[in-house]
Amino acid sequence: LTTSKLILYDDSLKIFTLKVASDSAYGMRFFFSDFQIPEGGKLFLYNESKTHIIGGFTHQNNRENNKFGTRPISGSKIFIEYSEPINANYSANLIIEKVVHIFDDGFFDPDNLAGECNKSVACLEDENFFEWENEAKSVVMILASYENLYDYWGSGVLLNIAGGYSSIDRPYLLTAAHLTHGFDPYSEVEDWVFLFGFEDTECGLTNSNTQYF
């Protein structure tokens, strides 16, 4: 974040802020080609009105490939704020490789994403539907990119493993093959972002609050 504004706070903390504006965007998401945060560092992203805040991301979000992707943040002006102790064991590396301009409000209005045949987990008028309430927790929204040309989303579901996941080194997720676009090797799949709990909180309400993490 070399182009950001630096603020020194109480001689113990460095705070960097960067404003990213994209006119007419309903929201944005960010991809970091280098993402290395030391212990004590925190990264937040938020819109101008601070009605949508994600983070703080810490050293626990560092990955082996040093890459990182965010979920969408609503708004045409997004602020990226990073704080780091003066005595951190190293200075963070944060390089933004790509900013996605979201030109449709569908992501922020789940009703626009659902088909007529889709069933909302918030609606329990079907007397048998409540039996699937626990299974619904395993469903994820998948955020993906295709060769830096465009972003798209799909869905998947975590699979139960006999005896639990303690006997294996990773969970398994089932999704449609077309989401991979035939990647070989699956280099871009490792940068997918998975959102749990992307669902309406109340049945039958347009633009009801959508919770996810």
Side-chain angles (χ1 to χ4, degrees), residues 24-117:
S24 76
Y26 284 96
M28 286 177 257
R29 62 185 297 241
F30 297 82
F31 288 88
F32 294 80
S33 59
D34 196 0
F35 184 94
Q36 300 177 62
I37 294 180
E39 290 192 34
K42 288 186 179 181
L43 178 72
F44 291 89
L45 297 92
Y46 50 86
N47 58 8
E48 191 171 32
S49 61
K50 292 188 178 180
T51 56
H52 194 176
I53 303 172
I54 63 173
F57 302 109
T58 68
H59 69 282
Q60 294 182 326
N61 297 104
N62 294 342
R63 302 175 59 201
E64 290 184 2
N65 65 3
N66 294 330
K67 295 183 179 182
F68 186 75
T70 74
R71 64 188 184 223
I73 308 130
S74 61
S76 59
K77 296 180 178 66
I78 305 300
F79 292 83
I80 301 173
E81 180 180 300
Y82 173 70
S83 61
E84 181 179 287
I86 295 293
N87 61 354
N89 55 351
Y90 66 88
S91 295
N93 289 325
L94 296 170
I95 298 176
I96 299 173
E97 178 183 34
K98 181 175 69 172
V99 180
V100 177
H101 173 113
I102 299 175
F103 61 86
D104 185 274
D105 67 346
F107 185 89
F108 303 105
D109 181 3
D111 297 301
N112 289 342
L113 294 178
E116 293 183 0
C117 61

Side-chain angles (χ1 to χ4, degrees), residues 15-213:
I15 302 176
F16 300 85
T17 58
L18 177 68
K19 177 182 177 181
V20 180
S22 186
D23 292 342
S24 76
Y26 284 96
M28 286 177 257
R29 62 185 297 241
F30 297 82
F31 288 88
F32 294 80
S33 59
D34 196 0
F35 184 94
Q36 300 177 62
I37 294 180
E39 290 192 34
K42 288 186 179 181
L43 178 72
F44 291 89
L45 297 92
Y46 50 86
N47 58 8
E48 191 171 32
S49 61
K50 292 188 178 180
T51 56
H52 194 176
I53 303 172
I54 63 173
F57 302 109
T58 68
H59 69 282
Q60 294 182 326
N61 297 104
N62 294 342
R63 302 175 59 201
E64 290 184 2
N65 65 3
N66 294 330
K67 295 183 179 182
F68 186 75
T70 74
R71 64 188 184 223
I73 308 130
S74 61
S76 59
K77 296 180 178 66
I78 305 300
F79 292 83
I80 301 173
E81 180 180 300
Y82 173 70
S83 61
E84 181 179 287
I86 295 293
N87 61 354
N89 55 351
Y90 66 88
S91 295
N93 289 325
L94 296 170
I95 298 176
I96 299 173
E97 178 183 34
K98 181 175 69 172
V99 180
V100 177
H101 173 113
I102 299 175
F103 61 86
D104 185 274
D105 67 346
F107 185 89
F108 303 105
D109 181 3
D111 297 301
N112 289 342
L113 294 178
E116 293 183 0
C117 61
N118 297 140
K119 187 76 170 181
S120 172
V121 295
C123 298
L124 305 180
E125 68 274 10
D126 183 337
E127 61 181 12
N128 294 320
F129 187 69
F130 74 92
E131 297 178 0
W132 296 94
E133 194 171 6
N134 285 332
E135 285 79 359
K137 296 176 183 178
S138 67
V139 177
V140 298
M141 169 175 272
I142 301 171
L143 305 178
S145 296
Y146 178 61
E147 294 183 350
N148 287 323
L149 296 177
Y150 57 84
D151 269 44
Y152 60 97
W153 52 67
S155 62
V157 60
L158 285 173
L159 299 179
N160 283 332
I161 302 296
Y165 284 108
S166 59
S167 60
I168 60 175
D169 63 352
R170 69 196 65 187
Y172 288 95
L173 184 136
L174 177 68
T175 189
H178 64 256
L179 287 184
T180 68
H181 282 283
F183 295 149
D184 188 21
Y186 293 99
S187 58
E188 299 194 30
V189 173
E190 68 180 3
D191 294 322
W192 284 3
V193 174
F194 303 92
L195 301 181
F196 289 84
F198 190 86
E199 60 190 49
D200 287 335
T201 56
E202 296 182 58
C203 180
L205 292 182
T206 301
N207 293 323
S208 65
N209 291 327
T210 303
Q211 305 295 322
Y212 57 87
F213 56 92

